[in-house]
Amino acid sequence: MISLLKPDEPSAIRTESSDGTMANPLRAEVVRLYKNLLYLGREYPKGGDYFRERLRAAFAKNKSIQDPAQIKEMIARGEYVARELEALYYLRKYRAMKKRYYEE
């Protein structure tokens, strides 16, 4: 079901979920972040299962938050974690290549 808010608002159309509550417009971004982190966590040094459990717990802990500003802040923190994981993996690959081809 679709309901219209004020026509001059940028998010004037919001969809209603099957249980009658308004769907959060940031939900797609949160799901995308979760999937990206889940993908990146496969190569985590302590193991993919360890990372998956921690990721699931972190998202479950914050699932009741409704404030868009807080959600955006947490999305930014999650994107920071994703960038740090990517840097960790690049550094690990660089060190492995350096170890193979150069004497220390």
Side-chain angles (χ1 to χ4, degrees):
M1 180 181 277
I2 296 178
S3 64
L4 292 177
L5 300 175
K6 295 178 186 174
D8 57 337
E9 287 184 16
S11 60
I13 298 177
R14 291 194 183 175
T15 58
E16 233 177 272
S17 63
S18 61
D19 61 356
T21 60
M22 294 302 258
N24 194 329
L26 297 172
R27 186 177 194 287
E29 197 169 345
V30 172
V31 170
R32 178 196 54 80
L33 176 64
Y34 183 81
K35 287 182 178 182
N36 187 26
L37 286 170
L38 197 58
Y39 175 78
L40 289 172
R42 293 185 313 163
E43 297 179 35
Y44 194 69
K46 288 189 175 183
D49 292 333
Y50 172 83
F51 187 85
R52 188 180 321 114
E53 290 170 11
R54 301 274 309 245
L55 181 66
R56 180 177 286 164
F59 274 77
K61 181 180 80 171
N62 297 315
K63 75 177 184 178
S64 63
I65 295 178
Q66 298 293 322
D67 182 30
Q70 277 186 313
I71 294 172
K72 286 180 184 177
E73 184 179 307
M74 286 187 236
I75 289 172
R77 188 180 328 153
E79 289 171 348
Y80 172 78
V81 169
R83 286 192 305 271
E84 288 294 314
L85 282 172
E86 289 172 351
L88 173 74
Y89 298 152
Y90 286 132
L91 183 61
R92 186 173 63 183
K93 288 177 184 178
Y94 170 76
R95 285 180 177 163
M97 293 296 286
K98 185 177 177 185
K99 193 174 182 180
R100 285 185 194 136
Y101 294 107
Y102 298 103
E103 299 285 331
E104 287 189 22

